[in-house]
Amino acid sequence: MTDWEEVLNRHGSVVWQTAWRMLGNHADALDCYQTVFLEALRVVERDTVHDWPALLKRLATARALDLLRARYRQAGRHEPLASPTAVVSRRAEPEHDAEASELLERLRVELAELPNQQAEVFSLVVLEGMTYRQVGDRLKLSTSAVGMVLNRARKRLRERLAWVEPEAKRKY
Amino acid sequence: MNDYYEADHEDSLDTATRGYRSQRVPDGPPDEFVTEVLAALHHAEEAADQSVTVNLKEKFLAMNTTAKITIAATVLIVVGGLLPWLAPSGGTALAFTNVAEALANIRTATWNFSVETESPQGKMTINGKSMYLAPSRERREMPDHVHAANESGTAISLGSVEIFDYQKSESISLTPTTKMARVLKYENLPADGPSYSFEHLQRMVSDAQDGRVDKVENLGKRTIEGRETVGFRISKGDMECKIWTDSDTRLLVRVELTALRFKPKTRIVMSDFRINVELDESLFSLDVPEGYTIVSRLNIDAAEPKLDDLAQMLRLVAEHNDGVLPGELRNFESIYGGIIKSLIAKHGADESPEKAKAMAEFSANVERGMRFVLSLAPENDSHYAGKGVKLNTPNRPVFWYKPTPDENYQVIYADLSIKDVAAEDLDKRSLPAAVTVTEKRTVTKKSAVTKKSTVTKKAKFKVKVDSEGKITIQQD
């Protein structure tokens, strides 16, 4: 029998933070949190879990991506956030906070548009900081395959976000 | 192995990634929420240990609404982990238990739907959103200015917000652009609501689990919206339902409902399901909002339709069609074309309270006849020969069918009288010189043991009436 209280105490914050960062609002993050642990229950029934943080991060990312896709499919691609994520840009001026928030929201939109595997690999490696090996174990991919998928995802996201003028280029 | 660009070479993606990581994540989730999740997980484990098999629909209906997560978790573990997907011959009904139970315990749901029709006038798709609040409330929203083109090229507009409460047996239909409302009260409402309601879907799946449908087929695996799903097709009467659920969680991913013999060809697709989300109860209120005009209040008898209802429908359609019976029974244009033309002639093309009221009343009155037609199965051996026939033409049979294969035909005549007649005893004087009606039928055989129907033959039948008036029914 799994000690779920221990699991939630130790690893609940991983799920919460991943869900909140991916989704940017409280209600969706709660929804995602609940779904992730119910899914984890099913995983435990089939298999022994050796790496809870990796499993939970993967489940949280996957379910958050589902919610993002549903969100943007329902509302059109440019739904404004009900409660904008607080993003601190590298520069402290308020206008740069707003710009960074907009760019982050664009990233969410484009992640929802990516093919599922690319979106998951990019989110887990780049956004959540997992290693290629960890991601490969969870997604049943070799490390080289993870690298290839990641490159494709990056290329596509760069193209899609290229219309947003990056802060660093403004001085030129 | 994460590589990052230096600040000098930073682009939008890097900026966005940096922004993602620097988000201020609030503390959470709330302790009481975590406690609920924990309770749900414990309950689910206990339920699995006891190998509980529950009648989830009954349990759900009796349940307090605050027991949401507990039940969802129970369903997932009882349904999801223990039974493999089986091939149809091995026990699709067993595999279907997973789906039926997962559906029965949903507390709230939202989804998108599209109604796709295909007719000689072309294809049309109406998109909308639906919401469900257990145990019995639904809200359906369609865009403003939805028009259904008809043969004459004119249009009708459909109400764009409908709210149903099946327990109260009431619904309202609101058109925000015209601020018109229709209020309907139902008697004898079926337990599962209208044909594309969530409860109807739950009941159809539950019937499939219990073997109360014509056929259930396993459609195998398919990737939908990036998720691995397993699909089933349920056939019952004139309705076909394809349902895909997530391979792991058994939660809904996509549903397709088709009325097989209805015209225009119509398919309803339900997708983008979100299960057990927070929904404001005010979305399901039956109070007509301020500023709206109630154009009609109707009482609808939702009891199982009978042959009399078809006769009534034929009369109503003929009254708006210069006394001529409809050309076809499973054809929207045949049934509604006359009333639409007469309302436009009387009230003009624009929407008005008078027109809306008349359409609502007509729809309510023909609805039972339509439902009777859609309930007919191949074994009823039904035939319609009313095209071009004037109401009250003497001794002219226009519709006949067998309630059960062993009974005589029940016949509606052009004067809308109904008689019980053996095939060989139809009044010879009523028949034209020679008529041949050809219909195709799929012959199925139902096993008395497994209760499953299998197609044994696709046959073509001809109903011939010779100059002596003798009727023969031949199978090619």
Side-chain angles (χ1 to χ4, degrees):
Chain A
M1 191 81 88
T2 306
D3 185 347
W4 287 106
E5 189 167 359
E6 174 71 9
V7 171
L8 262 66
N9 282 340
R10 273 186 135 186
H11 307 296
S13 58
V14 166
V15 175
W16 175 249
Q17 292 194 18
T18 300
W20 210 97
R21 283 195 297 251
M22 291 282 296
L23 293 161
N25 75 67
H26 199 80
D28 284 352
L30 286 178
D31 193 4
C32 185
Y33 183 97
Q34 169 190 321
T35 304
V36 164
F37 281 104
L38 293 176
E39 275 201 57
L41 177 61
R42 292 222 52 252
V43 172
V44 162
E45 287 295 318
R46 300 193 295 259
D47 216 347
T48 306
V49 177
H50 298 291
D51 187 345
W52 275 101
L55 168 69
L56 294 174
K57 238 182 215 188
R58 193 260 153 146
L59 293 178
T61 302
R63 295 293 77 84
L65 285 168
D66 288 342
L67 286 170
L68 284 178
R69 289 185 195 105
R71 177 197 291 177
Y72 296 122
R73 197 173 296 119
Q74 280 178 13
R77 294 186 71 224
H78 303 289
E79 181 193 54
L81 287 173
S83 20
T85 307
V87 173
V88 178
S89 71
R90 287 187 297 126
R91 294 170 61 177
E93 296 85 341
E95 62 269 24
H96 292 289
D97 286 351
E99 186 186 312
S101 288
E102 187 191 338
L103 202 51
L104 175 56
E105 181 58 13
R106 288 288 309 167
L107 177 62
R108 289 194 178 102
V109 171
E110 298 306 335
L111 276 174
E113 294 282 319
L114 278 184
N116 188 52
Q117 193 177 63
Q118 288 182 24
E120 272 205 70
V121 166
F122 180 87
S123 300
L124 289 170
V125 174
V126 178
L127 302 181
E128 293 298 321
M130 286 175 70
T131 65
Y132 280 26
R133 182 178 290 281
Q134 284 175 316
V135 174
D137 284 346
R138 293 259 62 96
L139 301 186
K140 306 286 187 285
L141 296 172
S142 65
T143 50
S144 56
V146 171
M148 280 193 322
V149 172
L150 180 60
N151 283 340
R152 282 200 288 269
R154 275 196 172 123
K155 180 170 184 278
R156 189 158 160 165
L157 286 170
R158 284 206 163 93
E159 283 165 5
R160 298 293 305 182
L161 292 175
W163 67 269
V164 179
E165 217 176 52
E167 184 186 309
K169 288 184 182 173
R170 291 219 172 131
K171 54 189 168 184
Y172 299 106
Chain B
M1 291 181 73
N2 299 320
D3 54 320
Y4 302 102
Y5 285 90
E6 298 296 329
D8 290 353
H9 304 286
E10 182 165 294
D11 62 11
S12 300
L13 179 58
D14 298 315
T15 307
T17 303
R18 197 183 299 279
Y20 178 95
R21 292 207 200 93
S22 68
Q23 291 177 83
R24 294 192 197 100
V25 178
D27 292 338
D31 290 343
E32 56 271 20
F33 185 84
V34 175
T35 302
E36 282 187 4
V37 172
L38 199 54
L41 291 166
H42 288 150
H43 185 92
E45 282 189 319
E46 285 165 11
D49 285 347
Q50 292 165 19
S51 300
V52 171
T53 302
V54 294
N55 185 324
L56 295 169
K57 178 70 173 180
E58 286 174 4
K59 183 176 177 181
F60 173 77
L61 286 175
M63 187 172 295
N64 186 315
T65 51
T66 60
K68 41 194 177 248
I69 299 174
T70 304
I71 298 309
T74 302
V75 167
L76 283 175
I77 193 63
V78 169
V79 165
L82 307 180
L83 295 175
W85 293 107
L86 300 176
S89 58
T92 300
L94 278 178
F96 226 77
T97 300
N98 301 337
V99 178
E101 291 177 347
L103 268 185
N105 285 274
I106 288 172
R107 176 179 58 85
T108 67
T110 66
W111 64 94
N112 293 337
F113 69 84
S114 64
V115 183
E116 304 164 353
T117 59
E118 193 173 332
S119 69
Q121 287 75 44
K123 291 184 185 179
M124 183 176 73
T125 301
I126 299 170
N127 295 314
K129 297 180 190 179
S130 276
M131 302 173 205
Y132 169 72
L133 178 65
S136 63
R137 287 181 276 181
E138 271 194 56
R139 178 185 176 99
R140 204 166 296 141
E141 297 176 357
M142 285 178 284
D144 295 337
H145 300 296
V146 173
H147 290 91
N150 63 11
E151 203 172 65
S152 66
T154 52
I156 55 174
S157 67
L158 307 175
S160 52
V161 177
E162 295 173 320
I163 301 167
F164 301 89
D165 188 324
Y166 305 131
Q167 276 194 341
K168 289 186 181 175
S169 297
E170 290 179 20
S171 72
I172 60 172
S173 175
L174 308 171
T175 308
T177 47
T178 57
K179 295 285 190 241
M180 286 193 281
R182 299 164 189 80
V183 177
L184 294 105
K185 290 185 191 287
Y186 300 87
E187 294 169 5
N188 305 309
L189 196 65
D192 55 358
S195 61
Y196 57 103
S197 70
F198 197 72
E199 281 206 70
H200 183 88
L201 176 62
Q202 289 172 316
R203 180 56 60 112
M204 198 161 188
V205 171
S206 172
D207 284 349
Q209 175 192 344
D210 297 336
R212 289 194 299 264
V213 296
D214 299 333
K215 189 165 52 173
V216 180
E217 299 165 84
N218 190 324
L219 298 176
K221 293 187 178 180
R222 179 174 151 182
T223 300
I224 298 176
E225 298 168 11
R227 296 163 79 170
E228 188 183 88
T229 67
V230 182
F232 291 91
R233 173 166 42 219
I234 307 166
S235 303
K236 184 176 181 183
D238 242 11
M239 293 293 292
E240 178 189 272
C241 172
K242 293 181 190 173
I243 176 168
W244 284 271
T245 62
D246 187 290
S247 296
D248 290 331
T249 63
R250 304 295 187 259
L251 294 175
L252 287 173
V253 176
R254 182 180 172 94
V255 176
E256 294 176 14
L257 294 165
T258 307
L260 293 172
R261 293 188 290 165
F262 191 75
K263 290 178 187 173
K265 190 174 161 188
T266 302
R267 185 177 77 155
I268 297 159
V269 179
M270 302 158 76
S271 62
D272 299 312
F273 286 92
R274 293 185 64 187
I275 307 297
N276 292 334
V277 292
E278 287 293 327
L279 290 175
D280 194 330
E281 272 203 55
S282 66
L283 290 167
F284 303 90
S285 170
L286 292 177
D287 295 331
V288 175
E290 210 173 305
Y292 276 74
T293 303
I294 298 176
V295 298
S296 64
R297 289 181 186 273
L298 296 171
N299 292 321
I300 307 286
D301 182 357
E304 188 177 336
K306 297 185 169 49
L307 190 62
D308 282 340
D309 297 306
L310 174 58
Q312 168 79 340
M313 182 182 92
L314 293 175
R315 181 183 64 76
L316 283 168
V317 173
E319 284 176 357
H320 289 95
N321 196 36
D322 299 322
V324 177
L325 296 175
E328 296 175 56
L329 295 182
R330 293 186 179 85
N331 186 309
F332 179 88
E333 176 57 31
S334 280
I335 305 300
Y336 281 85
I339 179 73
I340 290 171
K341 283 179 193 165
S342 65
L343 285 177
I344 290 168
K346 189 174 177 183
H347 298 287
D350 293 334
E351 188 69 358
S352 67
E354 296 78 18
K355 204 162 128 186
K357 180 173 189 241
M359 268 304 291
E361 286 172 357
F362 179 85
S363 295
N365 288 323
V366 302
E367 179 262 346
R368 289 180 60 77
M370 299 276 285
R371 281 201 290 124
F372 176 84
V373 170
L374 289 173
S375 72
L376 294 169
E379 52 264 31
N380 295 122
D381 194 26
S382 61
H383 305 268
Y384 179 67
K387 184 175 182 177
V389 176
K390 276 264 195 189
L391 193 62
N392 295 320
T393 301
N395 300 315
R396 177 68 182 272
V398 295
F399 176 86
W400 56 97
Y401 90 117
K402 286 188 175 186
T404 64
D406 299 328
E407 294 179 68
N408 285 335
Y409 286 93
Q410 294 282 302
V411 182
I412 299 178
Y413 291 83
D415 62 358
L416 303 184
S417 60
I418 296 175
K419 291 177 187 166
D420 186 300
V421 180
E424 61 273 18
D425 291 336
L426 275 178
D427 191 340
K428 297 172 187 177
R429 293 171 299 171
S430 69
L431 301 171
V435 170
T436 299
V437 176
T438 302
E439 288 206 31
K440 291 181 184 175
R441 288 279 186 260
T442 299
V443 179
T444 59
K445 186 176 177 182
K446 191 167 184 176
S447 165
V449 175
T450 66
K451 307 297 180 195
K452 281 165 39 169
S453 295
T454 53
V455 173
T456 57
K457 193 174 180 180
K458 289 188 180 176
K460 192 188 284 188
F461 288 87
K462 282 186 187 169
V463 178
K464 289 184 182 175
V465 182
D466 65 18
S467 56
E468 299 294 317
K470 184 180 174 185
I471 295 177
T472 53
I473 300 174
Q474 290 177 335
Q475 178 178 333
D476 287 351

